[in-house]
Amino acid sequence: MKKRILLSFCLFLACAVSAFSQNKKTGPDGSVAITEVAVKPLFNGKSSSEFAKWVASNIKYPAIALENGIQGRVMVQFVVNTDGTVSNVSVVRGVDPNLDKEAIRVVSKSPKWTPGYMADNTPAKVFFTYPVAFYIK
């Protein structure tokens, strides 16, 4: 019996900029990413809702999580680098190891973004927090 699955993906919260109060965040490799920039990165040069569509079309609900009825929202954080690549993908708040791993897998394989820029037109690494929701209907 096949269950109908609805994968609901939340849009970027407040244009996907992290709600952290600090303007800079240091990654595990010592690099610094900015949370507030003059020009925010764009996914495929379009609005942030395009990223939600891309995630939805590339995610695969883990079979074991589906069988066990596991669902919820995985909060993922990542950096959009000055060349538009995505790096430092990690889970801020997880649901289940299988769902967490799938959220990381999908965000990690994201195509290049249009990078963000500071007010002086300097490219900047930008830190994002993005919710990936897994729901069974």
Side-chain angles (χ1 to χ4, degrees), residues 46-98:
K46 300 176 185 170
S47 71
S48 57
S49 64
E50 290 298 314
F51 184 61
K53 291 177 188 175
W54 182 86
V55 169
S57 67
N58 285 279
I59 201 118
K60 295 180 177 92
Y61 210 113
I64 190 74
L66 182 60
E67 290 170 10
N68 291 316
I70 300 169
Q71 57 186 359
R73 185 172 53 183
V74 178
M75 296 299 290
V76 178
Q77 64 183 7
F78 60 96
V79 172
V80 175
N81 295 300
T82 57
D83 64 355
T85 58
V86 170
S87 67
N88 298 349
V89 181
S90 63
V91 172
V92 177
R93 187 177 61 216
V95 174
D96 172 81
N98 295 301

Side-chain angles (χ1 to χ4, degrees), residues 19-54:
F20 292 99
S21 60
Q22 297 179 344
N23 193 23
K24 295 182 180 181
K25 181 158 177 80
T26 304
D29 61 354
S31 65
V32 176
I34 308 297
T35 59
E36 296 176 26
V37 291
V39 178
K40 295 178 178 120
L42 296 172
F43 179 74
N44 285 337
K46 300 176 185 170
S47 71
S48 57
S49 64
E50 290 298 314
F51 184 61
K53 291 177 188 175
W54 182 86

Side-chain angles (χ1 to χ4, degrees), residues 15 32 40 51 64 70 72 78 84 101 115 119-120 122 127 134-135:
C15 297
V32 176
K40 295 178 178 120
F51 184 61
I64 190 74
I70 300 169
F78 60 96
K101 185 177 175 182
D120 64 358
T122 304
F127 176 76
F134 294 85
Y135 292 105

